Amino acid sequence: MANHGYIARDGKNLSAQDVTRGLKACYGLSSPHAYFLAYVGFIMLRKIGRIPLYEISKHNAIEHNASLVHHDTPEGQKFAPIEIDPTLVDALCADVKPSAKDVEAKSESGERFLMNFEDVAKARIRREKECGPIDSVHAEIARGEMAIILGVWEVKTKTKTGIPMEYFRRWISEERLPDGWKPDHTQGLRDVIKRSKAIRAAAEALKKEES
């Protein structure tokens, strides 16, 4: 949000109300949804008043290990690494089916390379195998983060419902939105809960297949 000016670009002196406004303007979240995320986030950080943006990376508050594109917090460190690892981005994109190569082969028919809740579930399983499992609260946060973005750009093709990977890759690797894009619908808390449950169910199904 800071990269696009929805919150202070320098990431300093942010209030929960600033974050609420940013979530609504940037991602089209409903007022109750945005208020919930912002104010519960401040409670989890144990902060009152204004904070710098880097506080969000405080380890085991909102932030958690087994991030899809960040490395785990080193032992004894208070804050998680903020650098995005391109190798992890590539691995995340490789979790999506069909592959980019498959879609390119079908480009003349108008197929799009989409990520859906099953792809997210696959990625979450992979990262927790690599890093170890996370607790139930942070697992819910991890699913919720992706459930939100799945609702922001959801489109449908003949074979799949999901978000365009060209949008997602830029967002996850550069922390930037598509050029000229603005929210075209409002996303409520119940919408996100529904998608989060779908991610969880898909992960459980995949684990059963592997066992």
Side-chain angles (χ1 to χ4, degrees), residues 5-208:
Y6 289 110
I7 57 175
R9 289 183 182 273
D10 63 6
K12 296 179 180 178
N13 204 32
L14 298 174
S15 68
Q17 187 61 33
D18 293 332
V19 176
T20 299
R21 284 194 294 265
L23 289 169
K24 290 172 63 178
C26 184
Y27 296 116
L29 302 190
S30 68
S31 292
H33 189 187
Y35 273 104
F36 175 81
L37 292 180
Y39 283 87
V40 170
F42 269 61
I43 290 170
M44 294 183 73
L45 292 170
R46 299 182 179 181
K47 295 292 182 179
I48 298 174
R50 294 181 175 272
I51 64 170
L53 186 59
Y54 72 78
E55 284 283 350
I56 294 175
S57 66
K58 183 179 179 182
H59 183 51
N60 269 344
I62 300 170
E63 182 277 339
H64 52 83
N65 282 339
S67 164
L68 294 179
V69 295
H70 297 96
H71 290 290
D72 287 354
T73 303
E75 189 71 28
Q77 294 295 308
K78 183 177 180 181
F79 295 99
I82 61 172
E83 296 80 11
I84 295 167
D85 185 342
T87 303
L88 291 177
V89 174
D90 289 342
L92 173 56
C93 293
D95 286 324
V96 181
K97 292 184 177 181
S99 69
K101 185 176 181 180
D102 292 335
V103 173
E104 286 170 3
K106 298 179 181 178
S107 59
E108 292 183 2
S109 65
E111 292 286 343
R112 300 187 75 180
F113 185 23
L114 302 180
M115 167 184 272
N116 69 4
F117 65 93
E118 292 172 322
D119 301 317
V120 174
K122 182 179 178 182
R124 289 259 25 106
I125 290 172
R126 174 180 55 78
R127 283 299 284 151
E128 291 187 40
K129 283 182 178 178
E130 294 168 351
C131 304
I134 55 179
D135 63 79
S136 60
V137 172
H138 288 98
E140 191 62 49
I141 290 172
R143 289 190 294 267
E145 292 165 344
M146 292 302 296
I148 289 172
I149 208 66
L150 287 177
V152 169
W153 293 315
E154 185 177 86
V155 295
K156 296 181 180 181
T157 67
K158 293 179 181 179
T159 58
K160 193 172 185 179
T161 297
I163 57 174
M165 281 301 292
E166 65 267 27
Y167 289 4
F168 177 74
R169 183 165 189 134
R170 181 175 185 181
W171 177 76
I172 201 74
S173 63
E174 301 176 25
E175 299 181 333
R176 299 193 67 83
L177 300 169
D179 292 338
W181 178 85
K182 297 288 183 182
D184 59 5
H185 63 282
T186 300
Q187 186 174 186
L189 184 56
R190 281 187 289 185
D191 300 323
V192 173
I193 291 172
K194 182 178 179 180
R195 291 190 188 91
S196 180
K197 287 181 177 179
I199 295 170
R200 181 175 183 172
E204 290 173 351
L206 287 170
K207 288 176 182 177
K208 285 183 180 179

